[in-house]
Amino acid sequence: MGSLGALLFLLGSLGALADVCEIPHVDSQLVERMGQHLLPWMNQISQEQLNPSIYVGLRLSSVQAGDMEAFYLHSLKLKYQQNILGCTSSDDCKTKPSMGQLALYMLALRANCEFARGHKGDRLVSQLKRFLEDEKKAIGHNHKDYPYVSYYQYGLSILALCVHQKRVHDSVVKKLLYAVEHDQHFYQGTLSVDTEAMAGLAFACLERSNLNPNLRNRITLAIRTAIGKILKTQTSKGHFGHVYSSPLALQFLMTSPMRDMELGTACLKAGAALLAILKDGGFQNVLMISTLLPVLNHKSYVDLISPDCHAPRVVLEPAMEIPSQTQSSDVIRVTLKVPSVLPPYRHVIFVPAGSSLEDVLKKAQELWGFTYGTKATLSGPYLTSVMGKEAGEREFWQLLRAPDTRLLQGIAEYTPKDGETIELRLVSW
Ligand code: B12
């Protein structure tokens, strides 16, 4: 705490000098440690585990995975091109990637300095444009309805097409502009910093590439609006929203050419807070790490407009095997509560200290009549059903610590403390 205080004090004085968005100097060993977390994932090339975000994160970072990188991209191409081009029967189509996954794949191609060209490239681009048109229709003329998927993936898809210099119709961009102008990126009364930042990244790309000249002024204004809204979410600790929203927020804020003391100081503070958490080993999720690595290298997805594919990057060595720590024999008590089903479920579960929430759910399923289902996503296992009840359209099973604190991590990463009550609540979003 003492050293963080000193760091913040130092930044306070530095703040007087910072008027663009930068983060404090990052120790290269820390970056390497972050990168090493991704290496085991690069050996997992099953369809379900392949994650274009890992590839993008590494290519925009100061570290590299050597030959594994080319092989990983090759596996991504096999998966995505087969899914898009080879989708002849309805069975094949079931595994079709979502709009956002397709967009991330396009970012991965660009991260390797490739443009979507030729027959395969055209199919990709038209597929993504079709998705966007469908989303636009779902939002409706009066902007009052919701996209089928999310505004996050809407912004991500515009960004992906933009870095490939593919123009989308003004009407598609206008939906995202309206959403930023009219505070539509709020869920349960809180701004989704990630969604706002993704929209901001898309606008920053459109502004630089001038792909929609008729909307230029509106885009510039929306960027300022998004910056203002994100700055307002900064917590006393320094995070934008919270710790896991800060990486994408910083990517966006870093794209701003605006010289502004408030922005400069806010970024230094957010960067210092993030670095303190990294030093404590606070980031484990691969998706999070892959979003953070570009920030540590002062890059963002917008740099994929003209990526530097020859930038020197340090080759990562696999992390040294740390002798497995003697497992704590302590047992903790966690109460699992599900009020959204009839009869409501409530049980005390005993698990070894350090167990994840997923371990608690497994134990409850094994011994205490609990059932649940998950689906694999790029962020890890996502809870889809509880006690046989599937979350419906625009619903999800929210994870909370009683009485009412929303968890910031998913079931695979959150580790409950002794005596905690975890609630699974079916809510609309
Ligand atoms: C939109 C969104 C949601 C929507 C998803 C529904 C939808 N139709 O899109 C809703 C509101 C339901 C949601 C719920 C949750 N979310 Co959310 N979500 C996002 C957001 C903004 C975009 C996801 C996305 O589209 N990615 C792009 C596509 C291409 O990737 P994908 O893997 O195919 O996307 C799917 C998964 O991301 C999944 N998903 C969404 N959230 C989460 C969270 C976890 C932990 C997992 C495993 C999966 C998952 O839904 C997406 C659509 O199917 C991200 C922000 C981000 N930076 O990723 C946060 C984010 C992934 N969510 C987060 C969290 C914490 C949650 C919750 C755990 C919150 C809670 N306390 O309940 C729950 C999940 C609970 C569960 N049932 O397992 C965190 C995860 C942080 C971390 N440490 O890993 C993120 C990064 C936001 C943040 N900055 O904190 N989320």
Side-chain angles (χ1 to χ4, degrees):
M1 188 58 211
S3 60
L4 178 64
L7 186 60
L8 287 174
F9 175 75
L10 184 70
L11 292 172
S13 13
L14 270 178
L17 303 171
D19 62 358
V20 289
C21 182
E22 283 169 350
I23 59 163
H25 171 76
V26 189
D27 175 31
S28 58
Q29 284 186 347
L30 189 62
V31 180
E32 285 169 39
R33 272 215 307 277
M34 284 291 104
Q36 279 169 339
H37 278 291
L38 300 183
L39 293 181
W41 291 86
M42 298 193 77
N43 287 320
Q44 303 188 12
I45 49 160
S46 68
Q47 294 261 329
E48 256 191 8
Q49 303 276 6
L50 277 168
N51 187 340
S53 175
I54 294 182
Y55 185 81
V56 177
L58 277 172
R59 291 299 302 246
L60 286 173
S61 77
S62 57
V63 291
Q64 60 153 310
D67 295 343
M68 277 160 97
E69 261 180 36
F71 183 62
Y72 201 71
L73 181 64
H74 176 71
S75 310
L76 284 170
K77 285 184 179 175
L78 282 182
K79 170 182 168 167
Y80 283 91
Q81 282 165 7
Q82 198 177 51
N83 276 326
I84 297 158
L85 304 174
C87 183
T88 43
S89 75
S90 63
D91 256 10
D92 290 349
C93 296
K94 268 188 206 143
T95 56
K96 244 181 158 180
S98 68
M99 172 166 85
Q101 287 167 2
L102 208 60
L104 280 174
Y105 170 60
M106 284 187 73
L107 291 187
L109 289 179
R110 208 53 212 112
N112 191 40
C113 291
E114 293 180 45
F115 274 112
R117 283 215 187 95
H119 174 60
K120 289 178 186 168
D122 290 349
R123 288 281 291 265
L124 254 172
V125 171
S126 23
Q127 172 82 311
L128 202 52
K129 285 192 175 178
R130 249 195 322 272
F131 271 133
L132 277 167
E133 284 295 328
D134 290 348
E135 288 291 81
K136 187 185 85 181
K137 283 198 197 107
I139 297 167
H141 286 302
N142 57 7
H143 310 271
K144 290 288 171 274
D145 294 322
Y146 298 103
Y148 289 124
V149 186
S150 64
Y151 273 114
Y152 181 91
Q153 294 196 20
Y154 195 88
L156 176 61
S157 303
I158 294 180
L159 171 70
L161 288 165
C162 173
V163 297
H164 280 264
Q165 300 301 299
K166 298 291 176 192
R167 187 181 178 280
V168 292
H169 201 274
D170 280 358
S171 61
V172 172
V173 180
K174 278 183 187 168
K175 293 286 178 224
L176 196 62
L177 283 167
Y178 186 95
V180 168
E181 291 161 354
H182 295 84
D183 288 346
Q184 296 201 330
H185 296 155
F186 279 77
Y187 300 108
Q188 300 186 330
T190 313
L191 178 73
S192 167
V193 173
D194 297 77
T195 306
E196 193 79 2
M198 189 52 89
L201 285 164
F203 293 146
C205 180
L206 293 178
E207 190 185 48
R208 280 191 205 176
S209 310
N210 202 20
L211 288 171
N212 299 78
N214 297 334
L215 299 174
R216 198 169 174 82
N217 292 342
R218 234 177 120 183
I219 288 174
T220 305
L221 217 61
I223 291 176
R224 293 218 183 115
T225 306
I227 292 177
K229 279 198 249 175
I230 290 178
L231 290 185
K232 271 198 204 141
T233 67
Q234 190 157 38
T235 63
S236 54
K237 285 190 179 151
H239 305 306
F240 295 116
H242 56 74
V243 53
Y244 299 115
S245 308
S246 281
L248 204 63
L250 277 166
Q251 274 207 33
F252 164 51
L253 296 178
M254 280 175 167
T255 63
S256 173
M258 212 161 80
R259 302 197 85 88
D260 178 272
M261 287 295 181
E262 192 197 347
L263 175 68
T265 313
C267 289
L268 280 176
K269 197 175 166 193
L274 259 182
L275 294 183
I277 290 198
L278 292 188
K279 282 180 191 143
D280 277 356
F283 267 64
Q284 289 116 29
N285 185 282
V286 273
L287 187 101
M288 286 288 101
I289 294 174
S290 67
T291 315
L292 177 68
L293 280 175
V295 174
L296 302 181
N297 194 30
H298 309 279
K299 297 263 185 246
S300 81
Y301 295 151
V302 176
D303 287 299
L304 295 174
I305 296 175
S306 45
D308 179 358
C309 286
H310 301 292
R313 293 183 291 139
V314 173
V315 180
L316 290 167
E317 298 295 338
M320 293 243 287
E321 286 283 328
I322 304 165
S324 63
Q325 290 166 341
T326 37
Q327 261 254 306
S328 157
S329 54
D330 292 352
V331 167
I332 59 163
R333 172 197 161 99
V334 180
T335 305
L336 185 60
K337 180 180 157 191
V338 191
S340 319
V341 292
L342 280 175
Y345 181 91
R346 189 186 176 101
H347 227 286
V348 175
I349 319 289
F350 292 92
V351 285
S355 298
S356 67
L357 177 52
E358 197 174 16
D359 295 328
V360 174
L361 302 187
K362 277 184 190 152
K363 193 56 153 288
Q365 176 150 282
E366 221 177 275
L367 300 175
W368 302 108
F370 178 77
T371 59
Y372 72 103
T374 59
K375 94 172 172 192
T377 73
L378 304 185
S379 288
Y382 176 78
L383 190 64
T384 50
S385 69
V386 174
M387 302 301 288
K389 196 160 180 162
E390 210 53 62
E393 225 175 274
R394 289 199 62 80
E395 273 185 347
F396 76 108
W397 280 101
Q398 190 174 45
L399 318 178
L400 301 117
R401 186 173 59 240
D404 218 17
T405 307
R406 289 179 225 162
L407 301 188
L408 302 180
Q409 290 167 304
I411 55 170
E413 267 133 33
Y414 184 74
T415 49
K417 310 263 171 320
D418 189 27
E420 265 182 17
T421 297
I422 297 294
E423 180 179 332
L424 309 177
R425 192 186 290 170
L426 190 59
V427 297
S428 305
W429 63 280

